């Protein structure tokens, strides 16, 4: 006997969950269910209309995994999920664990989906359409790798709540009108007009384009080739490259500015030593290797090295500081100096297990002013934080923490895009640009700089309280 379980292109998760619940309640084994038609040898019957006698308790971990995997493009996703559910019910091994081939496959699929959503948020470019209502109207064309328009659209609904917009993809169309998000069938690729915001992008990109720093590999790593054709800024690249040599020559003739004292350009040291940057990194290690060659902004010129995050690559909790300090710059690891010691003490007091946390910074290079033999900390500016957000986004994308703590204003801005004062935000959870929760707290260096002992003790206690809350939120099931 075999059963057919057809699933709709929208609302797929709820439909799969209901069908899987029915099938398992009748103890129908995985090899007897043809998800989405399957085309098996035997004529398939519809699943029973009513639930069977067998009841199953599904762990939360499975539901979370299934909610991601369901959007993967692989046709076998439904069957794999049902196999895992069946094995959970039969107590057959640990089908959700990374050590089990099925579990590993499901986790990889979930990561692929999450990365695809991340890319959509970064690479969708809207163009303005004529509108006869007070709300402005925009449209975009995008080609995701998986079925990620549905789970990825709530991000745009929040971000662009005051406009009407449409995102068309080859499989589905999302439409947001008067605050209501709706999905419709895929249409042909719309013929979208050029508009002012597009030429603004292109002008901005042409202006920041420094021909002496052309690194096509790095550019590709920031904007994977697949997306170039739909990005207005990249259309200028061939033209700009044609002129690059001449522009470099003109810059040389104009006289390059002298290197800053203490500079030991990262570019020189790493150019030969490191492997070339790969296209969009596939792993946290690849992202780290690419970050080691980062020359996205001027900070790389004087810093000793890129200071990448450290800790557990599957951490549920990520703690983000501002930037490496003097000691971190030399050691190549975050939070090893005085502020780091204060942070580690606060974490210990809060019961946050340092071995299960990912520690990193909003900006990966040390910014300083040389003063005699000393290098005095300077806070990164907005542009530097924005340039470095690429790396922070990759760390978040690969690690997928359940909660991120922003220590201080720079980290809070990097993670949320909100630059308002911290006093009103400290201890509260905001939604980050990655759409995940961000708990805002004081930076330990800020606490150490407070002149008054009472204020210092209070702020320190607040940091401990925040870390305790963060740790509980990250480990809650
Ligand atoms: N301050 C930070 O923000 N990060 C570090 O790594 C060290 C000090």
């Amino acid at each position: 006997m075999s059963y057919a379980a057809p699933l709709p292109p929208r609302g797929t998760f709820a439909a799969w969950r209901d069908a899987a619940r029915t099938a398992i309640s009748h103890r129908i084994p995985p090899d007897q269910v043809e998800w989405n038609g399957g085309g098996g040898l035997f004529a398939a019957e519809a699943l029973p209309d009513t639930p069977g006698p067998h009841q199953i308790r599904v762990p939360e971990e499975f539901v979370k995994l299934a909610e991601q995997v369901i959007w993967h493009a692989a046709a076998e996703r439904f069957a794999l999920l049902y196999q895992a559910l069946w094995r959970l019910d039969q107590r057959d091994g640990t089908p959700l664990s990374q050590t089990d081939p099925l579990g590993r496959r499901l986790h990889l699929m979930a990561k692929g989906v999450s990365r695809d959503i991340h890319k959509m948020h970064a690479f969708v470019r809207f163009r303005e359409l004529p509108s006869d209502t007070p709300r402005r109207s925009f449209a975009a064309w995008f080609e995701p790798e998986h079925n990620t328009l549905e789970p990825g659209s709530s991000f745009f609904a929040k971000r662009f709540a005051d406009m009407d917009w449409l995102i068309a993809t080859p499989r589905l169309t999302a439409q947001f009108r008067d605050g209501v998000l709706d999905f419709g069938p895929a249409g042909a690729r719309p013929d979208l007009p050029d508009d002012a915001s597009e030429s603004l992008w292109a002008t901005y990109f042409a202006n920041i384009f420094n021909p002496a720093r052309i690194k096509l590999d790095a550019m590709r790593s920031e904007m994977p080739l697949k997306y170039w054709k739909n990005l207005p800024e990249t259309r200028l690249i061939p033209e700009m490259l044609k002129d690059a040599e001449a522009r470099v020559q003109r810059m040389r003739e104009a006289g390059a500015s002298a290197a800053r004292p203490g500079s030991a350009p990262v570019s020189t040291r790493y150019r030969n030593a490191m492997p070339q940057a790969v296209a969009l990194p596939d792993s946290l290690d690849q992202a780290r290797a690419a970050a080691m060659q980062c020359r996205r902004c001027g900070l790389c010129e004087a810093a000793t090295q890129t200071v990448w995050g450290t800790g557990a690559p599957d951490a549920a909790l990520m703690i983000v500081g501002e930037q490496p300090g003097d000691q971190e710059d030399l050691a190549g690891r975050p939070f090893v100096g005085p502020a780091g010691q204060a942070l580690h003490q606060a974490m210990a007091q809060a019961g946050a297990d340092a071995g299960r946390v990912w520690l990193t910074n909003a900006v990966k290079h040390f910014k300083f002013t040389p003063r005699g033999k000393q290098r005095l900390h300077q806070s990164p500016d907005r542009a530097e934080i924005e340039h470095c957000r690429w790396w922070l986004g990759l760390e978040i994308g690969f690690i997928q923490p359940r909660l991120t703590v922003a220590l201080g204003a720079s980290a809070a801005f990097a993670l949320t895009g909100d630059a308002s004062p911290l006093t009103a935000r400290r201890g509260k959870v905001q939604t980050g640009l990655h759409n995940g929760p961000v708990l805002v707290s004081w930076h330990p260096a800020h606490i150490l700089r407070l002149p008054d002992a009472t204020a210092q003790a209070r702020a320190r206690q607040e940091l401990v309280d925040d870390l305790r809350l963060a740790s509980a939120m990250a480990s809650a099931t």
Side-chain angles (χ1 to χ4, degrees):
M1 169 79 75
S2 105
Y3 295 89
L7 297 170
R10 275 165 279 152
T12 319
F13 179 72
W16 178 86
R17 189 194 51 207
D18 292 349
R21 211 181 263 155
T22 304
I24 207 132
S25 71
H26 288 276
R27 291 189 186 273
I28 300 174
D31 60 358
Q32 289 182 16
V33 188
E34 286 180 14
W35 296 98
N36 254 9
L41 281 179
F42 306 102
E45 283 199 16
L47 282 170
D49 288 337
T50 48
H54 180 61
Q55 301 215 343
I56 170 173
R57 274 185 64 82
V58 182
E60 179 71 13
E61 186 191 354
F62 175 75
V63 178
K64 289 225 160 96
L65 191 64
E67 276 170 350
Q68 293 278 88
V69 170
I70 214 83
W71 307 113
H72 199 277
E76 64 274 24
R77 62 196 184 281
F78 308 119
L80 293 174
L81 284 170
Y82 189 62
Q83 264 174 40
L85 189 64
W86 178 262
R87 284 184 48 198
L88 283 170
D89 188 41
Q90 302 280 312
R91 302 193 194 294
D92 173 6
T94 51
L96 304 187
S97 147
Q98 299 267 9
T99 56
D100 185 290
L102 177 58
R104 197 159 50 246
R105 178 129 185 241
L106 291 173
H107 281 283
L108 276 177
M109 289 168 89
K111 278 223 153 171
V113 165
S114 155
R115 208 173 300 145
D116 202 42
I117 293 177
H118 208 67
K119 284 188 212 156
M120 173 158 54
H121 294 166
F123 296 123
V124 160
R125 294 285 181 270
F126 286 103
R127 296 159 193 211
E128 185 148 19
L129 303 175
S131 164
D132 44 18
T133 73
R135 285 166 74 89
R136 294 174 70 188
S137 181
F138 293 82
W141 168 253
F142 193 69
E143 295 168 45
E145 202 172 322
H146 302 291
N147 304 296
T148 41
L149 184 63
E150 195 174 336
S153 286
S154 56
F155 167 88
F156 296 105
K158 260 199 224 155
R159 265 270 177 103
F160 304 119
D162 54 345
M163 319 170 185
D164 290 339
W165 51 259
L166 174 146
I167 303 173
T169 74
R171 296 192 193 97
L172 193 66
T173 299
Q175 182 147 30
F176 187 73
R177 187 170 288 159
D178 294 328
V180 179
L181 179 61
D182 207 359
F183 296 91
R189 182 186 170 139
D191 196 13
L192 297 172
D194 282 0
D195 73 3
S197 58
E198 173 152 337
S199 57
L200 199 73
W201 262 106
T203 313
Y204 168 74
F205 191 68
N207 281 330
I208 59 162
F209 184 80
N210 179 343
R213 291 189 162 197
I214 296 172
K215 278 204 90 196
L216 274 181
D217 281 336
M219 281 161 67
R220 281 190 199 105
S221 86
E222 285 157 29
M223 292 185 216
L225 275 180
K226 179 168 177 301
Y227 302 104
W228 279 35
K229 60 181 191 296
N230 294 324
L231 295 175
E233 59 269 39
T234 49
R235 266 181 239 134
L236 294 180
I237 288 174
E239 205 37 48
M240 292 191 299
L241 286 179
K242 227 169 52 193
D243 186 40
E245 259 311 299
R247 278 182 66 190
V248 173
Q249 189 53 35
R250 286 200 293 278
M251 282 166 71
R252 269 198 212 109
E253 282 160 13
S257 53
R260 282 200 258 162
S263 91
V266 173
S267 44
T268 321
R269 278 174 284 124
Y270 284 102
R271 194 176 295 135
N272 301 326
M274 298 299 295
Q276 280 301 294
V278 287
L280 186 71
D282 270 334
S283 64
L284 190 61
D285 282 347
Q286 275 189 8
R288 179 184 180 281
M292 290 299 145
Q293 308 173 71
C294 179
R295 298 196 290 151
R296 292 173 65 88
C297 74
L299 295 186
C300 65
E301 300 296 348
T304 307
Q305 58 193 313
T306 301
V307 178
W308 189 247
T310 51
D314 58 351
L317 179 61
M318 181 182 284
I319 300 181
V320 183
E322 179 186 74
Q323 60 164 351
D326 183 65
Q327 297 195 28
E328 287 81 11
D329 170 77
L330 298 173
R333 277 174 298 121
F335 290 106
V336 294
Q341 274 171 22
L343 174 64
H344 282 286
Q345 271 171 17
M347 283 169 68
Q349 210 176 322
D353 180 352
R356 306 201 48 212
V357 168
W358 184 261
L359 275 182
T360 193
N361 283 302
V363 169
K364 311 288 191 231
H365 282 120
F366 178 33
K367 180 173 179 182
F368 61 90
T369 321
R371 177 84 47 83
K373 285 193 178 152
Q374 281 189 316
R375 303 187 298 171
L376 301 185
H377 163 272
Q378 255 192 300
S379 285
D381 60 29
R382 262 176 183 237
E384 287 152 351
I385 295 173
E386 277 161 358
H387 280 304
C388 226
R389 204 179 260 149
W390 167 251
W391 301 119
L392 188 59
L394 284 175
E395 283 177 298
I396 294 175
F398 285 118
I399 293 166
Q400 308 223 344
R402 294 173 81 173
L403 178 75
T404 309
V405 175
L407 298 176
S410 299
F413 173 65
L415 287 161
T416 63
D418 177 355
S420 62
L422 280 206
T423 323
R425 301 161 66 192
R426 193 241 105 227
K428 303 212 169 98
V429 176
Q430 292 187 239
T431 300
L433 295 170
H434 60 295
N435 226 12
V438 176
L439 178 65
V440 177
S441 193
W442 303 126
H443 193 289
H446 158 80
I447 300 175
L448 293 175
R449 279 196 301 267
L450 288 172
D452 157 24
T454 318
Q456 208 176 79
R458 191 186 325 118
R460 199 174 172 285
Q461 188 55 49
E462 286 171 343
L463 174 62
V464 171
D465 293 345
D466 294 342
L467 291 171
R468 187 173 293 121
L469 172 66
S471 175
M473 283 176 71
S475 54
T477 51

